[in-house]
Amino acid sequence: MNKIAVFIVLIILNCCTSMEKNNVARTNLLSIQLKEKQGLSKVEIKRVVIPQSGKAEYHLHPCSVVGHVVSGTLLFQVEGEKPQLLIGGEAFYEPKNKPILHFDNASDSESLVFIAYYLIEECEDLIVLLPEK
């Protein structure tokens, strides 16, 4: 009986070790605590390309937006916060109804590609362009 128990333990340990080797790796890119409760009714996902040295207009989003840079370098700044340079694989958060001062391609030699996830509550617009500062 002891030999069978040892054998079963060895099989379980071998399986667990094999599973650890084959597990999917998850890396936390961004964790945001939303300031207000949000009842999502829809999520829109957009792939956006900004050409070399291109800049998004001064804007805000009536919904929260999270996203990540696929390639290129992003100069990102929420109004009232410090600017950030983000590269491929890094994530960003655009708070609901907060003006975005910079969402610029920081490269003059390659396009900026990012994926944006719009967290929509009701019938909100995705973006509102603001008068230049």
Side-chain angles (χ1 to χ4, degrees), residues 8-63:
I8 291 173
V9 168
L10 288 174
I11 289 175
I12 292 171
L13 287 174
N14 186 41
C15 288
C16 291
T17 304
S18 297
M19 286 175 52
E20 284 178 13
K21 291 178 185 175
N22 296 325
N23 273 349
V24 174
R26 289 176 178 83
T27 303
N28 186 29
L29 298 179
L30 179 68
S31 182
I32 296 295
Q33 181 66 46
L34 299 175
K35 298 205 183 327
E36 64 279 331
K37 289 187 179 181
Q38 193 159 337
L40 294 181
S41 62
K42 180 174 159 182
V43 176
E44 285 201 27
I45 304 170
K46 307 279 187 190
R47 179 179 183 270
V48 182
V49 178
I50 298 178
Q52 299 90 329
S53 302
K55 299 177 180 189
E57 295 172 290
Y58 183 55
H59 68 279
L60 63 76
H61 297 282
C63 60

